[in-house]
Amino acid sequence: ARLTTRLEDRGDDAWRLRLTHAGGPAALGVLVSDGRPVASPGWAEADDSGFDLLPGEERLVTVRWADAPPAGRRLTIGGWNVDPIDVS
């Protein structure tokens, strides 16, 4: 499955990310996770993750950054049949 991503709001403490199913079969087990190295300070908290997207569907996900410095913030989007996408 192919997804597109658009960062709609990049606030100091939260990001709003729009994920759109752009092609192929249903996107299964879509995960939104902190894409920084494990030893990085703080963490990302997505309000939705582990969902499926059918062709043409989209989902708006809000990610709150807890104690993570603004420099170097990065999310990784992936899934069972979705190649990883980095968003920064």
Side-chain angles (χ1 to χ4, degrees):
R2 186 170 54 85
L3 301 182
T4 60
T5 61
R6 187 172 75 214
L7 196 54
E8 294 195 345
D9 184 25
R10 187 181 301 196
D12 290 339
D13 295 324
W15 288 3
R16 287 184 38 199
L17 179 68
R18 183 171 302 276
L19 303 172
T20 304
H21 186 289
L28 305 176
V30 177
L31 298 174
V32 178
S33 58
D34 191 334
R36 301 171 308 138
V38 173
S40 298
W43 59 91
E45 298 174 340
D47 70 349
D48 201 357
S49 190
F51 52 86
D52 300 335
L53 280 178
L54 298 176
E57 281 188 328
E58 59 183 27
R59 180 83 53 111
L60 186 61
V61 178
T62 299
V63 178
R64 188 177 78 79
W65 291 98
D67 300 322
R73 289 180 179 173
R74 184 176 70 234
L75 297 172
T76 299
I77 316 304
W80 181 77
N81 60 339
V82 178
D83 290 333
I85 303 166
D86 287 328
V87 178
S88 56

